[in-house]
Amino acid sequence: PSSPYYYPKLLKSFQANDTTMTNEEFQYFYYGTFFQEDYDPYRATPNPELLQELTPIYAKANRTRADRVKMLDYAEQVLASNPIDLRQLTNRIYVYEQNRKYDLAKIWQYKLNHLLLVIAASGTGADSDNAWIVVYPQHEYDFLNISGLTATSQRFEPPYYDFIEVEKKDPKAPDGYYFNIDELLHQYFLKHPAEISESVE
């Protein structure tokens, strides 16, 4: 509790409407998620009914104010459960911008950018030795998408890598990128030991 990197302190700072967190604090906050009691990399989506209602809204080119109210409501529900949900952070920023709450949009864009920088700083994604390290499997797709890349397929490469193939716009660009999910799987099986024997069988 006396450490500046104590997770509850970092969580409180992250949820506050300020931009005082340092790069190192963002790093401890993001990867500190692994070690929280409620951490589950395959957690169920909260409020599936509202998500189903939002699915056609997400597909719209233009959204009404009522649409944006629902989007913000859902984003806040998800982020209360999982504060580093990259997709819902993006949606929250979008709604603030559309509602002309530019100061709030900038604050949350700052937070999102720093989470993305934490992932980017973990490697290059070029090969398994330099794989990016993520806390949730969905972050693989969100990280690439926000970087302007479109995932086309995924394969697991033992012992603990995901390879995400991407749509190539440049012939010289890589076919895809590697993500290291070692700690993700380790923490998952610590909490679901019965699934280790099932996966071996």
Side-chain angles (χ1 to χ4, degrees):
S2 61
S3 167
Y5 307 119
Y6 185 50
Y7 186 86
K9 286 182 185 176
L10 295 176
L11 176 60
K12 187 176 180 180
S13 294
F14 183 80
Q15 291 176 327
N17 285 337
D18 60 42
T19 53
T20 60
M21 287 177 71
T22 65
N23 292 341
E24 195 169 19
E25 286 172 333
F26 273 105
Q27 187 176 37
Y28 275 88
F29 176 62
Y30 182 73
Y31 291 121
T33 303
F34 278 133
F35 310 108
Q36 304 314 303
E37 284 186 18
D38 64 346
Y39 171 71
D40 183 346
Y42 304 104
R43 64 170 64 212
T45 302
N47 201 338
E49 295 81 11
L50 180 54
L51 178 59
Q52 188 173 9
E53 197 176 332
L54 279 165
T55 301
I57 292 173
Y58 289 144
K60 286 183 177 181
N62 297 299
R63 302 175 181 96
T64 65
R65 178 167 286 276
D67 291 339
R68 297 198 298 271
V69 168
K70 288 179 183 176
M71 286 180 68
L72 183 59
D73 181 34
Y74 186 68
E76 289 176 339
Q77 287 183 39
V78 173
L79 293 169
S81 168
N82 176 13
I84 58 169
D85 187 297
L86 303 179
R87 188 167 300 179
Q88 294 307 323
L89 283 168
T90 303
N91 287 336
R92 184 173 192 164
I93 293 161
Y94 164 81
V95 173
Y96 285 149
E97 287 176 341
Q98 292 297 306
N99 291 348
R100 300 184 179 182
K101 294 185 176 180
Y102 299 119
D103 288 344
L104 282 172
K106 286 178 182 177
I107 288 168
W108 287 93
Q109 186 68 60
Y110 174 88
K111 297 172 193 287
L112 175 61
N113 288 349
H114 278 74
L115 292 176
L116 296 172
L117 285 170
V118 169
I119 299 171
S122 67
T124 64
D127 52 44
S128 58
D129 289 336
N130 297 283
W132 285 312
I133 301 171
V134 292
V135 172
Y136 291 102
Q138 187 60 49
H139 287 188
E140 298 172 352
Y141 299 90
D142 294 338
F143 178 74
L144 293 173
N145 186 50
I146 294 170
S147 302
L149 299 167
T150 303
T152 56
S153 66
Q154 178 268 347
R155 70 173 182 266
F156 177 73
E157 293 197 359
Y160 41 71
Y161 299 102
D162 277 341
F163 179 78
I164 309 294
E165 194 168 332
V166 297
E167 192 177 286
K168 292 183 71 167
K169 298 174 184 175
D170 178 353
K172 296 179 181 178
D175 292 331
Y177 296 91
Y178 286 85
F179 291 86
N180 182 325
I181 57 170
D182 182 18
E183 191 62 37
L184 184 159
L185 293 174
H186 176 67
Q187 294 297 328
Y188 179 75
F189 286 125
L190 277 179
K191 293 174 181 175
H192 303 86
E195 295 195 25
I196 296 178
S197 56
E198 288 177 14
S199 62
V200 170
E201 291 169 8

